[in-house]
Amino acid sequence: MRVLVLGGDGYLGWPTALHLSDKGHEVAVLDNFARRGYDAELGVESLVPIESLADRIAAWHEVSGRVISSYEGDLLDAEFLFEAVRDFAPDTIVHYAEQRSAPYSMIDREHAVYTQHNNVIGNLNLLYAIAEIDPSIHLVKLGTMGEYGTPNVDIEEGWLDLEHNGRRDRVLFPKRPGSFYHLTKVHDSHNIEFTCRAWGLRATDLNQGVVYGQRTPQTALDPRLSTRFDYDAVFGTVLNRFVIQAVLGQPLTVYGKGAQTRGLIDIRDTVECIRLAVENPAEAGEFRVFNQMTESMSVAAIADLVADRFPGPVQIEQLENPRSEAPEHYYNVKHTGLVGLGLEPHLLSDTLIESMFDIVGANKHRVNPDKLRPTVRWRGALKS
Amino acid sequence: MRVLVLGGDGYLGWPTALHLSDKGHEVAVLDNFARRGYDAELGVESLVPIESLADRIAAWHEVSGRVISSYEGDLLDAEFLFEAVRDFAPDTIVHYAEQRSAPYSMIDREHAVYTQHNNVIGNLNLLYAIAEIDPSIHLVKLGTMGEYGTPNVDIEEGWLDLEHNGRRDRVLFPKRPGSFYHLTKVHDSHNIEFTCRAWGLRATDLNQGVVYGQRTPQTALDPRLSTRFDYDAVFGTVLNRFVIQAVLGQPLTVYGKGAQTRGLIDIRDTVECIRLAVENPAEAGEFRVFNQMTESMSVAAIADLVADRFPGPVQIEQLENPRSEAPEHYYNVKHTGLVGLGLEPHLLSDTLIESMFDIVGANKHRVNPDKLRPTVRWRGALKS
C-alpha cells in the first residue's frame, strides 16, 4: 500500500515510517520540523542524537535498499498539503503531525492557542484534502487515551452502547480531557466522526496510551536511524523520564501520590498497531476507534518498577502535582480491537527497561538536569 | 450587574443588550461587525433596515435615558480583548460573538477553517482573559441544540447520569453535531468545561434552539432599535424564512420530507433566558448547561403552521435536503432549567406569527428572491 506518514520526522512517526517500509509498503513522510523547533524554544535536545530527515532517509536506503520519499511543509498550508496528497496519491494517511505535549499546551495563552490552532485546523485541512482529492483514502489518526480522562465507569473503544430511560443508541464515548492539548484530540475526533457520517470518509482513531521505549527492530539497525528520546518535563513521557532520572542518579519525580493510573504501550507495539490499522482499513463511512494501549499502571507503580530494575540506588520524590487530574480514580479500559487484528503485546514485565538503561547511560552527558523538573502549572493562568 | 455582551451588534446580541440595560444592568457591547461583513460577502441584507451600532446606542440613550458603552474589535486580537475586559470590569460576559451559520461553515474549506478558527480560538482567548483578569466573572456562552444532533435517547441538559456495567458517573452528554459550525460549539463546550474543572471558572452554556421572531419589547420602542432579520438560505433560520416566503408568495422550502424535528424559541424568550442566567450565576467551578428552547416541532409542521396562519395562499415545496441529517428520528429534550429560574415561555400557538407577517410586508421590497434557495450542499466537498 502507499502510506503517507504526517509528522514522519517525530518520535513515533519516524519509526512508523521505517516499520511500514520494512514490511513492503511504499512510504512517504511529511513534516514541518516543528518538533525540532520546540527543542530550540525549550533549550533541550533529544537524549539520543538524531540525524536530519534527509540523512535518516539516506541511511535507510543504504541499510534496507528501500526508498522513503519526503515532503517538507505544514498542514496549515492547505495548498502545500493538497499538492503533497495529490502527488503521492496514498491509500492511507497516518496522521502524527500535531503538537503532542500537554504541558506545552498549558504554558500560557499563546501556547494553548498555538496548540489548538495547529492541531484542529491542520486536521481539518487534511479532512478536506482527503474529501476533495480521494475520499477512499483511509485516515489513521493518532489520538490519546487522555481524551477519556478517568471516568468512574469502564472505558470502551470510542463508542458506547448507551441505554437511557429505556431507549438505546450508540454514541461517542463521553470525554473528559485534562489539558488544552488533550482537548485538541477530542475536537479532532468529533470533526473526523462528522466527516465519516456526512461525507462517507473512512477513519481509524487511535487513542494511544503513554508510549515508552526508544528502539524498534528497524531503528536498531544503524545509529543514524535512531528516533528521538525526550527526557524533559515538557515532552518526556513518564516511564522514559523515570529511566533517565534513575541513570542520572536523580530522584524519580512522581506528581502527587502517584495513584493516578495510565494506559501504557511499548514503542514496538505502537508501530505494529499502525501497520495493523493500515492493512485492515475502516469501511467507507466508518469512524473506527481503538484504544492503543496494552496495560494500565499507576505512576507510583511505574516508579517502583524502574527503581526495582535499576541496578543502583534510586530515590523517589513526590512533587506537588502541577497538573489538574484526579489523584485517585477507577480505571478499566477495553483494548481488544487491535489484539483482534493480531497485535501481540510486549508487556512491561519483559526485558525492555534494562535495554533503556544502556541507551541512557551511553548518552547521559547530553542531559541538562534542570529540564527534568516540571515548571508548567495547570493553574498558572489564574491570578493568585 | 455589569454585563459585557460579545457580539452585541448581532441578531440576538443587540436585543439582549437592550433587555439587560432596560432591567437596570450596566451594559457594554463588543463587536467586530463580522456579521455585517457576511452580508456584503453573500450579497444580502437584513430584511429590516438596521442602524449602525453608534446610532443604535444613541437612539437607546434618547429613548431610555440609559447608556450602553461599546468596544469595537475582534476576540482573535487577545490584546484588544484583554484590554476591554480590564476596562469594563464586568461581573458577567455574555458570549454571542461567533460565526453562527451552519451552511456558511459548509461552503468550502476556507469557510470551515474560518468558522472553526474564529469560534474556537476566540472563545479560548476569552477563557484566558477571564482566568487572568478576574476568574469570578460568570461566562454565559451561547451554544446550540445542534450540538446534540438527534440521538435515539432523551436529551438531558448537558450532563448525563450514566450507568454502565454496573458503575455510575456524571458525564458530558454525548454529542453528534451536524456541521463544522455545530462542531465549534461542541469544541467550545469541552474547552469551557475543562477551565471550570481545572481553573475553577464559572460558566453557563446555553444550548439554544432555532430562534424565531424579530421584535422584543425594547426593539419595538423605536425603528432605530430594530435588530436584523435574515431571510437568506445561509443565515435565515427556518421559521423566519418560511414567514418571508409566505409573504412574498414564494413556496416554503422544506428540506427533504420535513420530518426532522428541532427545538424552537421565541426571541423574547431568548433575551429573558439570558437575563435569568446572568442574574442567577453558576457557582465557581460549575459548568452549568441549559437547553434554551421552549418547544419542539418538525420542519413540516412549522411550514403547515405558517401556511395555516397566513391569510393568502401558500405553497410548500420539498427540496432535496442539502444537509446531512437524519430524515426521521426520535426527539425528546429536557428543558426545565431555565423554567426553574423563572422563564415563562411564549409558545408558537401565541399570536407572534401574525405580527411577523406585518414586519415582512413592510419590507418585502428589500428581498432578493434568489437568496431564498439553498446553494450550500453538505456533500459539496466530495468530488463526484
Side-chain angles (χ1 to χ4, degrees):
Chain A
M1 299 181 95
R2 299 182 64 79
V3 186
L4 178 60
V5 180
L6 310 182
D9 186 51
Y11 169 50
L12 298 176
W14 174 243
T16 297
L18 292 184
H19 188 65
L20 295 172
S21 178
D22 188 54
K23 299 299 177 193
H25 298 293
E26 291 302 317
V27 175
V29 297
L30 183 154
D31 211 293
N32 68 348
F33 307 120
R35 180 66 195 86
R36 295 177 188 245
Y38 307 144
D39 275 354
E41 176 191 351
L42 299 171
V44 294
E45 280 187 304
S46 165
L47 179 76
V48 176
I50 55 173
E51 300 296 324
S52 71
L53 180 59
D55 288 347
R56 290 172 151 183
I57 287 174
W60 178 243
H61 181 64
E62 190 185 312
V63 167
S64 72
R66 298 197 57 83
V67 172
I68 291 177
S69 49
S70 68
Y71 299 88
E72 300 187 9
D74 196 317
L75 302 195
L76 295 180
D77 178 350
E79 195 176 343
F80 158 78
L81 174 62
F82 276 56
E83 183 49 39
V85 173
R86 274 200 197 92
D87 183 66
F88 188 69
D91 302 299
T92 308
I93 296 178
V94 179
H95 181 15
Y96 280 106
E98 299 198 334
Q99 195 294 100
R100 66 160 172 88
S101 160
Y104 188 87
S105 76
M106 299 301 294
I107 291 174
D108 58 16
R109 187 195 65 79
E110 286 82 355
H111 287 80
V113 165
Y114 164 79
T115 301
Q116 293 223 335
H117 179 237
N118 181 71
N119 292 7
V120 175
I121 302 300
N123 185 64
L124 184 54
N125 279 340
L126 177 61
L127 294 170
Y128 268 94
I130 292 171
E132 293 190 11
I133 295 167
D134 180 2
S136 74
I137 293 172
H138 177 212
L139 171 61
V140 176
K141 169 68 167 56
L142 274 292
T144 166
M145 285 301 299
E147 293 187 37
Y148 299 110
T150 53
N152 193 42
V153 297
D154 295 342
I155 296 174
E156 303 296 326
E157 297 202 83
W159 293 90
L160 173 67
D161 289 315
L162 175 64
E163 179 170 349
H164 179 51
N165 296 347
R167 299 182 61 90
R168 293 177 169 279
D169 201 355
R170 182 168 178 261
V171 299
L172 287 181
F173 197 93
K175 302 291 176 72
R176 192 185 289 154
S179 75
F180 287 120
Y181 153 71
H182 291 102
L183 279 153
T184 67
K185 298 291 191 177
V186 174
H187 304 340
D188 287 342
S189 294
H190 280 100
N191 280 347
I192 297 168
E193 189 275 333
F194 167 69
T195 61
C196 293
R197 178 161 37 91
W199 292 348
L201 300 194
R202 62 178 83 219
T204 301
D205 201 22
L206 296 169
N207 290 332
Q208 186 166 247
V210 180
V211 183
Y212 60 88
Q214 192 261 345
R215 277 194 191 151
T216 65
Q218 294 84 34
T219 68
L221 292 173
D222 188 297
R224 296 171 296 167
L225 298 176
S226 290
T227 194
R228 54 182 308 120
F229 196 39
D230 300 308
Y231 66 89
D232 61 285
V234 175
F235 276 92
T237 51
V238 58
L239 177 54
N240 288 354
R241 201 180 67 240
F242 285 168
V243 166
I244 290 167
Q245 289 170 322
V247 173
L248 293 176
Q250 299 271 334
L252 314 193
T253 48
V254 171
Y255 299 164
K257 290 187 189 292
Q260 62 274 42
T261 298
R262 294 294 178 264
L264 298 173
I265 185 167
D266 186 308
I267 190 172
R268 297 171 293 176
D269 292 339
T270 286
V271 299
E272 182 65 0
C273 287
I274 303 295
R275 182 184 73 78
L276 291 166
V278 166
E279 294 180 0
N280 299 277
E283 301 292 322
E286 183 187 6
F287 178 69
R288 180 175 68 168
V289 186
F290 294 132
N291 293 338
Q292 186 163 302
M293 53 173 278
T294 57
E295 58 193 317
S296 298
M297 196 173 282
S298 75
V299 170
I302 296 170
D304 288 343
L305 180 87
V306 171
D308 179 65
R309 299 289 177 84
F310 187 69
V314 172
Q315 283 183 33
I316 295 175
E317 182 181 354
Q318 289 183 358
L319 301 182
E320 188 188 355
N321 194 339
R323 303 184 178 215
S324 174
E325 55 191 15
E328 296 192 66
H329 55 85
Y330 180 74
Y331 201 64
N332 186 34
V333 181
K334 183 167 174 186
H335 47 92
T336 57
L338 286 158
V339 171
L341 292 183
L343 178 68
E344 297 177 15
H346 296 81
L347 298 182
L348 257 177
S349 47
D350 292 350
T351 57
L352 180 88
I353 291 189
E354 284 77 357
S355 78
M356 288 169 71
F357 295 140
D358 297 337
I359 297 168
V360 176
N363 294 281
K364 66 180 184 181
H365 59 284
R366 292 170 52 88
V367 171
N368 177 349
D370 294 344
K371 300 297 184 181
L372 286 164
R373 297 179 85 84
T375 56
V376 181
R377 297 193 182 281
W378 262 230
R379 293 175 176 275
L382 287 184
K383 71 178 183 183
S384 53
Chain B
M1 299 180 94
R2 299 181 64 79
V3 186
L4 177 61
V5 180
L6 310 182
D9 186 50
Y11 169 50
L12 299 175
W14 174 243
T16 297
L18 292 184
H19 187 66
L20 294 171
S21 179
D22 188 52
K23 299 299 177 192
H25 298 293
E26 292 301 317
V27 175
V29 297
L30 183 153
D31 212 293
N32 68 349
F33 307 120
R35 180 65 194 85
R36 295 178 189 245
Y38 307 144
D39 275 353
E41 175 190 351
L42 299 171
V44 293
E45 279 187 302
S46 165
L47 179 74
V48 175
I50 55 174
E51 300 296 323
S52 71
L53 180 59
D55 288 348
R56 290 173 151 183
I57 287 173
W60 178 242
H61 182 63
E62 192 184 313
V63 167
S64 72
R66 298 196 59 83
V67 172
I68 291 177
S69 50
S70 68
Y71 299 88
E72 299 186 8
D74 196 317
L75 302 196
L76 295 181
D77 178 350
E79 195 176 342
F80 157 78
L81 174 62
F82 275 56
E83 183 51 36
V85 173
R86 275 199 196 92
D87 183 66
F88 187 69
D91 302 299
T92 308
I93 296 178
V94 179
H95 180 15
Y96 280 107
E98 299 198 333
Q99 195 293 100
R100 66 159 172 89
S101 159
Y104 189 87
S105 77
M106 299 301 294
I107 290 174
D108 57 16
R109 186 194 66 78
E110 286 82 354
H111 287 80
V113 165
Y114 164 79
T115 301
Q116 294 223 333
H117 179 237
N118 182 72
N119 292 7
V120 175
I121 303 300
N123 184 64
L124 184 54
N125 279 340
L126 177 60
L127 293 170
Y128 268 93
I130 292 172
E132 294 190 11
I133 295 167
D134 179 3
S136 74
I137 293 171
H138 177 212
L139 171 61
V140 177
K141 169 68 166 57
L142 273 292
T144 167
M145 286 301 301
E147 292 187 37
Y148 300 110
T150 54
N152 193 42
V153 297
D154 295 342
I155 296 175
E156 303 295 326
E157 297 204 83
W159 293 90
L160 173 68
D161 289 316
L162 175 64
E163 179 170 349
H164 178 52
N165 295 348
R167 297 182 62 90
R168 292 176 169 279
D169 201 353
R170 182 168 177 262
V171 299
L172 288 181
F173 197 94
K175 302 292 176 70
R176 192 184 290 153
S179 75
F180 287 120
Y181 153 71
H182 291 102
L183 279 154
T184 67
K185 298 291 191 177
V186 174
H187 304 341
D188 287 343
S189 294
H190 281 101
N191 280 348
I192 297 168
E193 189 275 334
F194 168 69
T195 61
C196 293
R197 179 161 36 92
W199 293 347
L201 300 194
R202 61 178 83 220
T204 301
D205 201 21
L206 297 170
N207 290 331
Q208 186 166 246
V210 180
V211 183
Y212 60 89
Q214 190 261 346
R215 277 194 191 152
T216 65
Q218 294 84 33
T219 68
L221 292 173
D222 188 297
R224 294 171 297 168
L225 298 175
S226 291
T227 194
R228 56 180 307 120
F229 197 38
D230 301 308
Y231 66 89
D232 62 285
V234 174
F235 276 92
T237 51
V238 57
L239 177 54
N240 288 354
R241 201 179 66 240
F242 285 168
V243 166
I244 290 167
Q245 288 170 323
V247 174
L248 292 176
Q250 299 270 336
L252 315 192
T253 47
V254 171
Y255 299 164
K257 290 187 190 293
Q260 61 275 42
T261 298
R262 295 294 178 264
L264 298 174
I265 184 167
D266 186 308
I267 190 172
R268 296 171 294 175
D269 292 339
T270 286
V271 299
E272 182 65 0
C273 288
I274 303 295
R275 182 185 72 80
L276 291 166
V278 166
E279 294 180 1
N280 300 277
E283 301 293 321
E286 183 187 6
F287 177 70
R288 181 175 67 168
V289 186
F290 294 132
N291 293 337
Q292 186 163 303
M293 53 173 278
T294 57
E295 58 193 317
S296 298
M297 196 175 282
S298 74
V299 170
I302 296 170
D304 288 343
L305 179 87
V306 171
D308 179 62
R309 298 290 178 84
F310 187 69
V314 172
Q315 285 183 34
I316 295 175
E317 181 181 354
Q318 290 184 358
L319 301 182
E320 187 188 355
N321 194 340
R323 303 184 178 215
S324 175
E325 56 191 14
E328 296 191 65
H329 56 84
Y330 180 73
Y331 202 64
N332 185 34
V333 181
K334 184 167 173 185
H335 48 92
T336 56
L338 286 158
V339 171
L341 293 182
L343 178 67
E344 297 177 15
H346 297 81
L347 298 182
L348 257 177
S349 47
D350 292 351
T351 58
L352 180 88
I353 291 189
E354 284 76 359
S355 77
M356 289 169 70
F357 294 140
D358 297 337
I359 298 167
V360 175
N363 293 283
K364 66 180 184 182
H365 59 285
R366 291 170 54 88
V367 170
N368 177 350
D370 294 345
K371 301 297 184 180
L372 287 163
R373 299 180 84 84
T375 55
V376 181
R377 298 193 181 280
W378 263 229
R379 294 177 175 274
L382 288 184
K383 70 177 184 185
S384 53

